[in-house]
Amino acid sequence: KIESTKFRVCAACHAIGPGAKSKVGPELNAVVGRKWGAVEGYNYSKDLSDGRTQGKVWDETALNDYLTNPKHPAPQGKMAFGGIAQAGKRPDLITYLKQYDAQGNKK
């Protein structure tokens, strides 16, 4: 299993695991495979809300693109994070995110 240190870069704004709640960003339980803009009660940017309407899903390719530069897939998104430049770190983070189901339990 990938260690939680991979998630540290996200933890200031996002939560994952049992009882995770949205913070500055939405909670990330079961994010891999989830539709864009799908967390109830979170106020998404127009880019991510439109992505949900268009049926976009956070698969590994979409997450890798977003984690490289959030402004590429969502130019008007609210995420202030500049991205993860090191290509090797993004797959580890995605693997970490994939461990969690919708209730925040590790699979």
Side-chain angles (χ1 to χ4, degrees), residues 29-43:
N29 289 334
V31 67
V32 182
R34 180 167 81 193
K35 286 185 177 182
W36 287 25
V39 173
E40 283 297 316
Y42 185 77
N43 184 25

Side-chain angles (χ1 to χ4, degrees), residues 11-55:
C13 298
H14 297 278
I16 197 166
K21 303 267 187 249
S22 294
K23 297 167 38 175
V24 172
E27 56 85 3
L28 297 177
N29 289 334
V31 67
V32 182
R34 180 167 81 193
K35 286 185 177 182
W36 287 25
V39 173
E40 283 297 316
Y42 185 77
N43 184 25
Y44 287 95
S45 68
K46 183 172 179 355
D47 292 336
L48 296 180
S49 295
D50 288 351
R52 178 185 168 97
T53 302
Q54 296 164 9

Side-chain angles (χ1 to χ4, degrees), residues 61-73 79 81-87 90 94:
T61 301
L63 279 167
N64 187 64
D65 185 32
Y66 194 74
L67 291 170
T68 301
N69 177 2
K71 298 297 183 189
H72 181 249
M79 192 149 125
F81 181 66
I84 301 171
Q86 302 90 342
R90 295 187 301 270
I94 293 167

